[in-house]
Amino acid sequence: MTDTLREVLEKYWGYSSFRPLQEDIMRSVLDGKDTLGLMPTGGGKSITFQVPAMIMEGLCLVVTPLIALMKDQVDNLRARGIKATTVHSGMTADEIARHFDNCIYGDYKFLYISPERLHTELFKRKLSSMKICMLAVDESHCISQWGYDFRPSYLHIADVRKELPENTPVLALTATATPEVVDDIQDKLLFRRKNVLKKSFTRENLAYIVRNTENKTEELIHILKRVEGSTIVYVRNRKHTQDIARTLQQEGFSAHFFHAGLNRDEKSGRQDAWKNGTCRIIVATNAFGMGIDKPDVRLVIHMDMPNSLEEYFQEAGRAGRDGEKAYAIALCSSSEASKLKRRMTDEYPDRKFIVRVYEALGNYFQIAVGFGAFLTHDFSIFDFCGVYRFSSFQVHSALKILEAAEYIEYVEDPDNNSRLLFLTNRDELYKMDFDKLTDDIIQVILRSYTGLFADYTFIDESVIATRVHSTRDAVYNILITLSKSRIISYVPRKKLPQIVFTRRREEARHVVIPRSIFEDRHQRTLERIDKVVEYMTGNNRCRALMLLRYFGEKTETDCRTCDVCLRKNHQGLKNWEFNKVRKALLERLEKNASESIHTLAEELPLDREKNAQVIRFLLDHDERLTLKDHIISLNSAIHN
């Protein structure tokens, strides 16, 4: 089995060996076991289902909520000669039906699908005709109400599972999950037997640092001047990405900004410039980083803390994937904790406001009560807020809650490339009589792209226009004409976010926001914020240990690289040195009850002078320890 897996890896991906844990997960899946793979950011999760699926007979159904990542993976698979396709919001009904039929009849290996599509009648009808060899669930923490990114649409995966043959394995993958979320994922996905394969979250090369400062921009520039190398700077909103990138450029740094509002070409250009090193710094919202494999990131700097340690750990973990020294630095002001808690007021607006937003959406799109199910609408949040005089931030939060309650789907980052499929066959096409520009456009498309007669293919009107010496508008108009004539099916690029009504429009009095979506979720968010505040303000505990314990790893070994470990105490020792000696001393006394102070000073982990410093301090401050006739004893009554 091992040789077969490696042969597939080398044939299609060009690698000769697997990363840690990847092969264990693959073996588990090939043995038919339901498996939860817990792998930190950058661990290579997608390989764990892509490689074994190539050995198995049938179609691998991949559920993921991230449209951009979904598209990237499908494009990468196709570039390797592997037949893969995707179904998500923003696609036309004809497109979706054709993609499903291709999966039934076209010998496809991978179907990527957004969770919202799983409970549509069309998918339910088509599923029974698909030969599914594996169900892969990416970002599987989204299925848990205990998780930081709960999405009720993920609960439909259990219904899909019930329709599959009993021996079809489920592979659930996530980068971050607390112990309660790990259990919940397996329960919700109907695992036949608990089976967790986990890679330690320990990152020995990554130093976690919190810098307290009232001038974050000044501190950012100071850090960038001291530490060289590729950098990600995370901020909370789009405007700040531009402002900070502009400031860094004025200071002489090579920097770009990145957020979900950029078009596809801008995103691709900035990602490529950063990945190949022509741009050193990318200033981004959390829209940046998913699926981008750049191992040599030296710095990840957070100008604002996220709402959870899950988010922070995932974003910070994009530094140092090559195993070389790297830094995850959080810049925190004295008002950081209160800012985090104030954020909750806007993120959980009043229930009445949420219902008002829902009602306004129906009026805005002129949808009558009882109609509108699964219709897709382009949506400008700024125009909408201007019409109804709402706060854009609160509307954004209300839309997210309505999405969680499954009234709508809010697609903030739509598929930004145009798509085209020829509806006539090649012979019929050549018999048709077109004007010169139309004929030139068709010939350029046929020469520039492949698979046009079998599936929708992404095209770029600007590239086509350049090659036919015309304009983008002219190409667009001709493609529209060809589409109306049913010669092609043409789906122009989407420039705006989209709203999809996932059920018919309800009267406002019938809109129900469940307690699990609102109050319970709000309470769990507050609890996660408390953990973030604890991480930011804790000055006596190793930062890495705090993160590891949050994710259920039991370890007492300080990282020795975070700001807390390196901070010197009033004995002049670094905190990690003090903690190391204290731990060793207590362990010896627990085992031997009492020992000579001279022996301990000689044999504890550091040099004699440092060991003696710690012993003296503990004798003065730790009531569990007593000294008599040069013998140190542990007071077991107090200890227990």
Side-chain angles (χ1 to χ4, degrees):
M1 183 185 295
T2 301
D3 291 339
T4 307
L5 286 169
R6 290 188 178 173
E7 286 170 6
V8 170
L9 182 72
E10 190 154 9
K11 177 180 177 181
Y12 291 100
W13 281 267
Y15 302 127
S16 58
S17 61
F18 293 106
R19 295 180 185 177
L21 198 66
Q22 284 181 330
E23 191 170 344
D24 295 330
I25 292 173
M26 294 179 206
R27 285 171 173 267
S28 181
V29 171
L30 288 175
D31 286 341
K33 298 177 182 176
D34 296 334
T35 307
L36 171 55
L38 203 57
M39 303 174 71
T41 300
K45 294 191 293 294
S46 59
I47 288 287
T48 62
F49 61 82
Q50 291 173 344
V51 171
M54 296 301 294
I55 296 171
M56 304 165 81
E57 185 178 347
L59 176 74
C60 179
L61 180 64
V62 186
V63 181
T64 176
L66 305 167
I67 294 176
L69 186 57
M70 189 188 298
K71 273 193 73 291
D72 287 343
Q73 290 200 13
V74 167
D75 290 345
N76 288 334
L77 288 168
R78 287 176 175 176
R80 291 179 166 87
I82 299 169
K83 297 181 79 172
T85 192
T86 178
V87 168
H88 55 76
S89 301
M91 296 172 67
T92 66
D94 285 346
E95 277 186 285
I96 292 172
R98 186 179 293 270
H99 282 260
F100 284 151
D101 287 341
N102 283 342
C103 290
I104 295 170
Y105 305 112
D107 195 30
Y108 273 65
K109 286 304 299 180
F110 296 93
L111 168 60
Y112 284 74
I113 188 167
S114 60
E116 292 80 13
R117 303 294 96 189
L118 296 177
H119 68 292
T120 61
E121 289 302 319
L122 178 60
F123 176 74
K124 292 175 183 177
R125 288 201 310 270
K126 299 290 186 180
L127 178 63
S128 60
S129 300
M130 297 179 190
K131 186 175 182 180
I132 307 295
C133 65
M134 183 200 314
L135 174 58
V137 183
D138 200 10
E139 308 294 333
S140 61
H141 58 270
C142 294
I143 204 170
S144 173
Q145 293 189 43
W146 300 105
Y148 72 96
D149 194 19
F150 172 57
R151 303 190 184 207
S153 56
Y154 260 66
L155 298 174
H156 298 300
I157 300 173
D159 297 328
V160 173
R161 166 130 216 218
K162 292 173 185 175
E163 299 300 316
L164 301 178
E166 190 175 343
N167 61 349
T168 306
V170 172
L171 173 57
L173 297 164
T174 183
T176 50
T178 60
E180 59 189 356
V181 171
V182 167
D183 289 338
D184 204 24
I185 290 170
Q186 295 173 91
D187 290 339
K188 293 292 195 303
L189 289 175
L190 310 177
F191 270 40
R192 292 163 290 184
R193 187 177 294 109
K194 294 292 177 72
N195 181 28
V196 182
L197 296 178
K198 179 179 177 181
K199 183 179 177 183
S200 172
F201 288 120
T202 301
R203 295 284 304 279
E204 293 181 356
N205 66 306
L206 183 56
Y208 296 99
I209 295 168
V210 173
R211 287 278 176 86
N212 295 302
T213 177
E214 299 307 314
N215 191 331
K216 294 184 179 182
T217 303
E218 184 179 277
E219 184 64 22
L220 171 66
I221 293 168
H222 173 71
I223 292 168
L224 290 172
K225 287 179 177 178
R226 292 192 62 186
V227 181
E228 297 181 348
S230 184
T231 301
I232 306 174
V233 178
Y234 281 113
V235 298
R236 287 294 299 180
N237 66 56
R238 296 179 182 184
K239 184 178 185 300
H240 286 170
T241 65
Q242 299 178 49
D243 294 343
I244 293 171
R246 190 177 299 114
T247 298
L248 294 179
Q249 289 165 2
Q250 291 169 353
E251 289 289 327
F253 294 104
S254 171
H256 268 317
F257 65 89
F258 186 102
H259 55 68
L262 301 176
N263 65 45
R264 184 179 177 84
D265 292 339
E266 288 173 322
K267 288 179 183 176
S268 296
R270 293 176 191 196
Q271 282 179 357
D272 290 345
W274 180 73
K275 285 168 70 174
N276 65 32
T278 55
C279 171
R280 177 193 165 189
I281 304 160
I282 201 86
V283 185
T285 60
N286 61 3
F288 184 80
M290 285 289 187
I292 297 175
D293 187 13
K294 183 171 171 60
D296 61 342
V297 178
R298 300 274 67 85
L299 273 168
V300 170
I301 302 174
H302 280 79
M303 302 291 282
D304 307 283
M305 283 297 286
N307 290 345
S308 72
L309 289 181
E310 288 95 334
E311 292 173 84
Y312 179 72
F313 187 80
Q314 194 169 50
E315 292 165 9
R318 291 175 183 138
R321 294 182 188 175
D322 56 3
E324 299 298 321
K325 187 67 179 178
Y327 300 87
I329 303 175
L331 302 183
C332 299
S333 67
S334 57
S335 61
E336 204 75 26
S338 58
K339 276 166 47 181
L340 274 170
K341 291 178 179 178
R342 278 201 309 273
R343 207 184 287 165
M344 287 301 92
T345 304
D346 283 335
E347 292 197 9
Y348 287 88
D350 182 84
R351 280 172 171 273
K352 291 180 180 179
F353 178 78
I354 297 168
V355 175
R356 282 175 58 207
V357 169
Y358 177 79
E359 192 170 21
L361 282 174
N363 296 335
Y364 185 71
F365 295 123
Q366 298 183 343
I367 300 170
V369 170
F371 295 88
F374 293 107
L375 293 179
T376 300
H377 308 270
D378 289 342
F379 179 68
S380 167
I381 192 169
F382 300 108
D383 181 66
F384 177 76
C385 290
V387 171
Y388 293 98
R389 302 194 178 191
F390 291 149
S391 154
S392 60
F393 194 95
Q394 287 195 320
V395 165
H396 180 272
S397 300
L399 294 175
K400 287 297 185 182
I401 293 169
L402 288 168
E403 183 175 41
E406 298 191 277
Y407 283 97
I408 65 166
E409 187 181 348
Y410 181 31
V411 186
E412 295 182 78
D413 188 15
D415 183 356
N416 269 333
N417 254 27
S418 300
R419 305 185 293 281
L420 186 147
L421 167 73
F422 276 95
L423 301 177
T424 58
N425 62 44
R426 199 178 289 266
D427 291 338
E428 291 174 343
L429 186 66
Y430 287 143
K431 293 176 184 176
M432 295 179 180
D433 187 22
F434 301 110
D435 62 67
K436 185 177 185 309
L437 182 56
T438 302
D439 189 63
D440 287 347
I441 288 171
I442 291 172
Q443 293 304 320
V444 164
I445 291 171
L446 292 173
R447 288 196 301 270
S448 302
Y449 305 99
T450 59
L452 291 155
F453 293 90
D455 203 349
Y456 283 87
T457 299
F458 294 104
I459 64 166
D460 188 328
E461 294 90 340
S462 298
V463 171
I464 297 168
T466 299
R467 292 176 182 173
V468 297
H469 307 292
S470 187
T471 65
R472 189 184 187 284
D473 286 345
V475 171
Y476 169 83
N477 290 328
I478 285 175
L479 293 179
I480 289 291
T481 300
L482 291 172
S483 187
K484 288 178 179 177
S485 301
R486 302 293 295 166
I487 295 168
I488 63 172
S489 175
Y490 171 54
V491 184
R493 65 189 295 174
K494 305 291 184 183
K495 296 181 180 180
L496 290 171
Q498 295 171 309
I499 296 286
V500 184
F501 276 71
T502 51
R503 60 172 83 174
R504 66 183 189 176
R505 181 184 174 183
E506 300 281 0
E507 290 185 32
R509 61 195 174 96
H510 291 148
V511 175
V512 177
I513 309 297
R515 180 179 180 84
S516 61
I517 299 299
F518 196 80
E519 286 87 357
D520 293 351
R521 198 173 177 186
H522 187 198
Q523 181 58 37
R524 285 193 293 272
T525 302
L526 288 174
E527 290 168 1
R528 280 192 286 270
I529 285 176
D530 285 341
K531 291 295 183 182
V532 174
V533 172
E534 184 182 326
Y535 175 84
M536 291 187 312
T537 58
N539 292 319
N540 297 313
R541 295 174 62 194
C542 167
R543 306 270 183 217
L545 272 186
M546 292 175 72
L547 291 170
L548 291 173
R549 287 172 183 169
Y550 182 78
F551 292 113
E553 285 198 28
K554 296 178 181 178
T555 178
E556 297 297 328
T557 305
D558 291 339
C559 72
R560 306 186 187 184
T561 59
C562 73
D563 62 298
V564 174
C565 283
L566 294 179
R567 186 178 299 122
K568 290 187 177 181
N569 59 29
H570 55 275
Q571 286 89 41
L573 298 177
K574 294 174 181 175
N575 282 329
W576 75 262
E577 294 176 316
F578 180 88
N579 292 337
K580 186 177 181 69
V581 175
R582 178 177 59 182
K583 180 185 175 187
L585 172 64
L586 293 174
E587 286 176 349
R588 284 185 63 149
L589 293 177
E590 285 172 5
K591 183 178 180 181
N592 302 324
S594 61
E595 287 207 38
S596 161
I597 188 172
H598 301 297
T599 302
L600 289 170
E602 291 291 345
E603 295 182 1
L604 288 176
L606 302 182
D607 63 57
R608 189 179 190 286
E609 179 56 34
K610 289 182 177 179
N611 292 336
Q613 280 182 273
V614 177
I615 293 170
R616 285 194 295 269
F617 179 85
L618 291 175
L619 284 170
D620 290 337
H621 296 86
D622 193 330
E623 61 181 0
R624 293 173 298 177
L625 302 181
T626 58
L627 177 66
K628 185 176 182 180
D629 298 331
H630 303 293
I631 300 296
I632 297 180
S633 301
L634 185 65
N635 188 328
S636 57
I638 297 176
H639 177 64
N640 292 330

